[in-house]
Amino acid sequence: METLDRFDLAILRELQLDARLTNAELAQRVGLSAAPCWRRVRALEAAGYILGYHAQLNRQKLGLGVLAFVRLDAERNSADAMRQLEEAVRQLPEVTSCHYISGTGTFELQVVAEDLDHFSRFALQHLANLPQVKDLHTSFSLGEVKAGGALPLGHLDAAAPRR
């Protein structure tokens, strides 16, 4: 799948809003019949545009009241050492996202915890003991304004061929 047309973009928009749509509902919303819609969804999955489907959970209701942003400074002495650090971070379920960053620091982590005591213990027992970690800098969320939002697709509209 080289390019996305208006139907592909419509499918992506609709699935970002509600991934639980039936194929019939999705087809109706995007203006296709069921079979071509189903084929397009499968093609979008195969091409890597759709990575998967999941439920967005409410962390506060699940007792995870703390959201921390941790800038992790790492020693960068070898590619193998960095891969070890990456793999260690992937194994920590409390780390909900991890990004390489520019500027000061190596990684920016989002970490959830039950409360500040649990976060403190997690940081001291796990984050500080990760391989190659030189320093940690933590900021705490005081309230979410927007999280887990849909990706903007408007920049693709002009490039989408009409079919």
Side-chain angles (χ1 to χ4, degrees), residues 144-162:
E144 281 182 5
V145 175
K146 183 177 180 180
L151 294 176
L153 302 176
H155 65 289
L156 299 172
D157 283 327
R162 297 280 181 203

Side-chain angles (χ1 to χ4, degrees), residues 74-90 100 107 130-133:
E75 300 288 346
R76 300 179 195 198
N77 53 13
S78 75
D80 187 50
M82 289 305 289
R83 278 191 293 278
Q84 288 176 344
L85 175 55
E86 291 169 18
E87 186 54 35
V89 167
R90 283 187 194 101
Y100 279 108
F107 295 107
L130 288 169
Q132 305 300 312
V133 169

